[in-house]
Amino acid sequence: MAVRPIRVFGDPVLRAVCASIDTIDDGVRALVQDLLDTVAVPGRAGVAAPQIGVGVRAFSYNIDGDIGYVLNPVLVEVAGEPSRIGEGCLSVPGLWHDALRYPRAKVVGIDLNGDEVVLEGEGLMAQALQHETDHLDGTLYLQRLAPEDRRQAMKQIRESECHDHR
């Protein structure tokens, strides 16, 4: 379908809790294709539906060349000792800060056929699963930063031209 533009910090869709997908129809199928096309751009690890302006619970991922998607994902398990790890976000371009993340994570959702999908992993996959499910709850990674880092990030955003001034 299409690589969709990424919504940036300040856009209200990024702060809203997303709705569950109750019916899998042509609109949802088109959304999934757009999510897959948009995450396939080099350098992207994940794209959540609100990042392309759609307030529903879906995201795509691109981890080590493995590209996929999940609908209605629920973060069902995190494991290990959380630590601060370097993280960025397409919706907050140009920033890179240490966010608190667990080293292992597991998400359960469905695919376009309504069949269960289980995504789990360590490292970048775990980080992406946590980051993308956060997006579906209206949470940006900035909220996972230590207070001093968050203040610095907000200052960088205010001084940049890359956010939505609404």
Side-chain angles (χ1 to χ4, degrees):
M1 293 250 126
V3 173
R4 302 264 297 266
I6 301 293
R7 301 292 181 97
V8 296
F9 183 88
D11 190 315
V13 73
L14 297 172
R15 297 303 301 257
V17 175
C18 294
S20 290
I21 296 171
D22 297 325
T23 304
I24 297 172
D25 56 18
D26 287 345
V28 172
R29 284 187 278 279
L31 169 65
V32 166
Q33 190 58 58
D34 286 352
L35 284 168
L36 292 170
D37 291 346
T38 304
V39 83
V41 173
R44 295 183 173 176
V47 175
Q51 290 183 281
I52 60 171
V54 183
V56 299
R57 300 189 78 79
F59 70 78
S60 57
Y61 59 89
N62 182 353
I63 306 296
D64 298 325
D66 180 21
I67 297 175
Y69 72 93
V70 61
L71 308 177
N72 295 334
V74 176
L75 186 64
V76 296
E77 183 182 322
V78 289
E81 188 66 34
S83 63
R84 300 215 172 267
I85 185 167
E87 191 164 314
C89 179
L90 298 170
S91 294
V92 192
L95 269 62
W96 188 263
H97 291 280
D98 290 343
L100 189 63
R101 297 292 182 195
Y102 288 89
R104 290 186 297 286
K106 180 177 179 180
V107 163
V108 176
I110 59 170
D111 65 14
L112 286 171
N113 297 318
D115 296 328
E116 183 179 74
V117 170
V118 177
L119 300 173
E120 58 188 320
E122 298 181 353
L124 184 57
M125 178 57 110
Q127 189 176 4
L129 295 175
Q130 293 166 80
H131 182 106
E132 301 309 328
T133 54
D134 272 355
H135 271 301
L136 305 181
D137 293 328
T139 300
L140 291 172
Y141 90 104
L142 300 172
Q143 292 164 266
R144 302 279 183 206
L145 303 181
E148 182 178 310
D149 290 341
R150 186 167 185 206
R151 281 191 295 277
Q152 179 187 0
M154 297 308 290
K155 182 176 186 230
Q156 289 173 301
I157 291 168
R158 284 190 300 275
E159 292 172 352
S160 76
E161 294 297 320
C162 62
H163 71 281
D164 187 333
H165 292 279
R166 278 188 262 190

